[in-house]
């Protein structure tokens, strides 16, 4: 409930965070989250446990940041970085 409705990826680029009951990719696979680069939107599946929700939001923010800053991260690197979420919560850097 403390996840913002938008996040600034750069000083001039913001992505809306929206919630959706079901999210699927083009092959019909269910997803936890999705970053729509064209519409500057991060879509998060509703009803997930808090830890998974925070990790998913962070995962999708990393994808947006990667794209906007042309970092060139692989999916494995994004997956590794998403696990910072519980560490940040434990350090009280942001709250669930």
């Amino acid at each position: 409930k403390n996840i913002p409705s938008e996040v600034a990826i750069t000083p001039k680029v913001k992505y809306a965070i929206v919630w959706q009951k079901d999210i699927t990719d083009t092959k019909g696979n269910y997803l936890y989250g999705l970053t729509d680069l064209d519409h500057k939107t991060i879509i998060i599946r509703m009803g997930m446990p808090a830890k998974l929700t925070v990790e998913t939001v962070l995962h999708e923010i990393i994808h947006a940041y990667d794209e906007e800053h042309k970092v060139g991260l692989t999916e494995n690197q994004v997956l590794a970085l998403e696990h910072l979420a519980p560490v940040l919560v434990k350090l009280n850097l942001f709250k669930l």
Side-chain angles (χ1 to χ4, degrees), residues 5 31 35 40 42 46 51 53-54 59 63 70 76 82 87 95:
S5 59
L31 305 172
T35 299
K40 307 290 188 232
I42 293 171
M46 296 167 57
K51 180 180 175 189
T53 298
V54 171
H59 179 101
H63 274 303
K70 307 297 183 215
N76 283 340
E82 84 180 34
V87 173
K95 296 181 183 265

Side-chain angles (χ1 to χ4, degrees):
K1 70 182 182 184
N2 292 328
I3 293 179
S5 59
E6 70 176 18
V7 62
I9 301 299
T10 76
K12 295 182 180 181
V13 177
K14 293 181 181 178
Y15 276 63
I17 297 178
V18 298
W19 303 88
Q20 194 168 303
K21 184 177 177 183
D22 290 314
I23 307 167
T24 56
D25 64 13
T26 55
K27 296 178 182 176
N29 298 312
Y30 284 94
L31 305 172
Y32 296 139
L34 180 70
T35 299
D36 182 338
L37 301 170
D38 294 330
H39 296 101
K40 307 290 188 232
T41 303
I42 293 171
I43 306 162
I44 303 297
R45 179 195 259 172
M46 296 167 57
M48 296 187 297
K51 180 180 175 189
L52 181 57
T53 298
V54 171
E55 286 178 347
T56 302
V57 169
L58 184 56
H59 179 101
E60 299 306 329
I61 289 171
I62 293 166
H63 274 303
Y65 186 92
D66 177 48
E67 179 64 28
E68 295 297 332
H69 293 277
K70 307 297 183 215
V71 176
L73 296 173
T74 66
E75 184 66 17
N76 283 340
Q77 290 169 323
V78 173
L79 288 167
L81 289 169
E82 84 180 34
H83 296 293
L84 281 172
V87 173
L88 297 174
V89 170
K90 283 181 184 176
L91 292 174
N92 217 13
L93 297 177
F94 66 74
K95 296 181 183 265
L96 294 175

